[in-house]
Amino acid sequence: MRFEFLLLSRVFRSIGIIFITLSSSLYLSLLGFSPAQIGLIFLGAIGVTAVLSLSLGMFGDRKGYKKSLILGDLTGVIAGVLLWHFSLPSLAAIAFIIGGVGGAAGGMRGAFSTGLTPLVASNWVDEEERVRKMSLLISTASFAGIGGSILLSLVSVVGKNVIDGYRLFFGISAFLMIASIACISLVKEVERPKKTTKIMQKSSAKYIGKVILSNSLAGVGLGMAIPLLPLWYKLAFHVGSFEIGIVFTISYISTGIGSLIAGKIHINPLKVASLTRALNGIFLLAMALSPFFGLAALLYIIRGLNAGIGSPNRTMVNIRGVQSEDYGTASSVQGIATRVSQMSSGLGGFLMEYALPLPLEVGGVLQAIGGYLYYWLLGERGQEDAKKVDEGEKRKPTRTLGKN
């Protein structure tokens, strides 16, 4: 399917979307928005992304996952162009909402967009191969994300003022997203089973319900802590965009290394996914208690390594019990549940105004519990659902995979 073009698209997308995501809270703060107001803007961005995700997921099941990837990246282009041309606070807020910029600023942010998981799952039926492909995609995006964090570090040294520096790189980000779309257009996609239901089959919905329950709890914790993390560093330790950019640069390297390691681990993917999620929460708790910027930065970098190991495994476990004709809708429904739960970023902003460590403390506890719940729900119960799906897939006509 010309996998190399999919990898290249993640490079361009990662640099652009990582810069926009990382700079969002800092730029809005520079324009005069308070942490609580920024949290509410992120709430709106996540809400818009959730609606688009479901629409594009259902569209992908019917018209192709490559097309849904292209349409999803167009929102980033629109956001970048608006931020490049206008610096009015109201238009900046609208641009971030349209672009869906309100999620995590981690290395995986550059890899995932609507259609990626179902495209990989559709083109490769072997779970180990799926994990290897996804680990390559995530590691590539994470390493490329260094470009986005470097741009953040350079904001203060280009242009007549800091705002001009941000606007210049917003424009560059828009062009990078266009390059991502061009690469996706060259990707080949295998034929999929014909869609037989309006939404998804009952067996797929049953399995997805378990995934959603655990992901939602972890998502609430993630939403409280991560979207406002660059601003948290600034307020807690009085550091600027240059230092914050360096932290995220190193974090993206560690996430990329973790994703490469994930492709070589031959342990039950469910165990790896559950343990790493719980540890993600523990690292957030430790960051909240850190008295020094260096320690908080180091903990986040280690958390990036851990997250990189867990993400490819968790992504593939999430579709174990899903019928192949439902990959797009199922992935989108999972994404919606996670994004809607991440609307807790609005609450995170208010908590930050009350006490700076609170968003990380509460978010860390919820993520840790979410890791345990993930294993409990998708262990024996999830395996039974996955087995039934495998039996159903074997009765379907054999698909011919295209060249990789």
Side-chain angles (χ1 to χ4, degrees):
M1 71 164 215
R2 295 185 177 179
F3 184 69
E4 64 275 12
F5 287 112
L6 188 58
L7 282 174
L8 191 57
S9 78
R10 299 305 89 180
V11 171
F12 292 129
R13 183 181 191 277
S14 189
I15 298 172
I17 205 68
I18 287 292
F19 171 74
I20 296 176
T21 303
L22 273 180
S23 62
S24 56
S25 61
L26 298 173
Y27 187 65
L28 289 170
S29 177
L30 188 64
L31 293 180
F33 290 93
S34 70
Q37 290 173 325
I38 294 171
L40 290 175
I41 292 171
F42 286 175
L43 186 151
I46 294 169
V48 169
T49 302
V51 174
L52 284 174
S53 178
L54 179 59
S55 302
L56 292 176
M58 296 176 69
F59 175 83
D61 282 339
R62 292 162 174 80
K63 301 297 183 179
Y65 302 129
K66 187 173 77 170
K67 293 178 181 177
S68 62
L69 274 170
I70 291 173
L71 291 174
D73 278 3
L74 278 175
T75 60
V77 175
I78 295 171
V81 170
L82 286 175
L83 291 165
W84 175 26
H85 282 286
F86 305 101
S87 60
L88 290 174
S90 57
L91 286 177
I94 291 171
F96 284 123
I97 290 172
I98 291 174
V101 180
M108 276 81 76
R109 185 73 167 87
F112 291 108
S113 54
T114 303
L116 181 67
T117 298
L119 181 63
V120 172
S122 179
N123 277 42
W124 291 278
V125 296
D126 179 71
E127 187 170 71
E128 285 194 9
E129 183 64 18
R130 288 172 173 174
V131 171
R132 283 195 292 270
K133 295 295 185 185
M134 190 58 69
S135 70
L136 278 173
L137 288 166
I138 294 175
S139 61
T140 298
S142 296
F143 288 130
I146 296 170
S149 58
I150 289 175
L151 292 182
L152 180 63
S153 295
L154 294 176
V155 161
S156 60
V157 298
V158 299
K160 297 179 180 179
N161 54 54
V162 177
I163 289 180
D164 284 343
Y166 275 111
R167 290 178 62 187
L168 171 64
F169 291 133
F170 285 140
I172 292 174
S173 296
F175 282 106
L176 288 168
M177 296 294 290
I178 293 173
S180 172
I181 291 173
C183 290
I184 294 170
S185 67
L186 299 174
V187 173
K188 291 185 177 179
E189 183 177 356
V190 302
E191 293 184 6
R192 300 170 312 285
K194 184 179 180 180
K195 188 71 174 174
T196 60
T197 60
K198 290 184 178 180
I199 301 179
M200 71 174 75
Q201 296 191 24
K202 290 183 179 179
S203 59
S204 298
K206 182 180 177 182
Y207 185 82
I208 288 302
K210 296 182 175 68
V211 175
I212 286 175
L213 183 58
S214 60
N215 281 0
S216 295
L217 181 63
V220 171
L222 193 69
M224 284 187 183
I226 301 300
L228 293 168
L229 191 59
L231 183 59
W232 178 79
Y233 275 124
K234 176 183 177 181
L235 297 177
F237 303 107
H238 307 289
V239 294
S241 61
F242 179 79
E243 293 87 351
I244 295 170
I246 290 175
V247 172
F248 281 93
T249 296
I250 301 173
S251 173
Y252 296 148
I253 294 174
S254 67
T255 301
I257 293 172
S259 297
L260 289 175
I261 292 173
K264 301 181 183 299
I265 293 177
H266 301 290
I267 302 174
N268 185 335
L270 176 61
K271 291 182 178 179
V272 176
S274 303
L275 178 60
T276 52
R277 169 170 280 178
L279 287 173
N280 281 344
I282 293 172
F283 282 121
L284 283 179
L285 278 170
M287 287 170 61
L289 299 173
S290 303
F292 308 112
F293 173 68
L295 179 58
L298 177 61
L299 287 168
Y300 186 67
I301 290 167
I302 298 173
R303 184 183 184 275
L305 177 71
N306 179 71
I309 294 173
S311 185
N313 289 278
R314 190 160 46 253
T315 301
M316 292 303 114
V317 170
N318 287 351
I319 50 92
R320 268 183 177 178
V322 176
Q323 298 283 350
S324 57
E325 67 177 77
D326 298 327
Y327 284 154
T329 302
S331 296
S332 292
V333 170
Q334 290 174 27
I336 286 174
T338 301
R339 288 182 177 91
V340 169
S341 61
Q342 286 180 18
M343 292 173 78
S344 58
S345 60
L347 177 59
F350 284 101
L351 289 177
M352 185 178 289
E353 289 195 350
Y354 181 77
L356 278 175
L358 266 182
L360 274 69
E361 291 172 346
V362 178
V365 169
L366 292 177
Q367 258 211 310
I369 296 173
Y372 170 78
L373 186 63
Y374 190 81
Y375 186 80
W376 185 74
L377 288 171
L378 300 180
E380 293 183 4
R381 298 169 181 78
Q383 290 296 332
E384 291 176 3
D385 295 336
K387 185 178 180 180
K388 292 178 182 178
V389 168
D390 285 339
E391 293 173 352
E393 290 291 332
K394 289 177 181 178
R395 291 193 291 269
K396 292 180 180 179
T398 303
R399 294 179 300 160
T400 302
L401 294 179
K403 293 182 180 180
N404 299 345

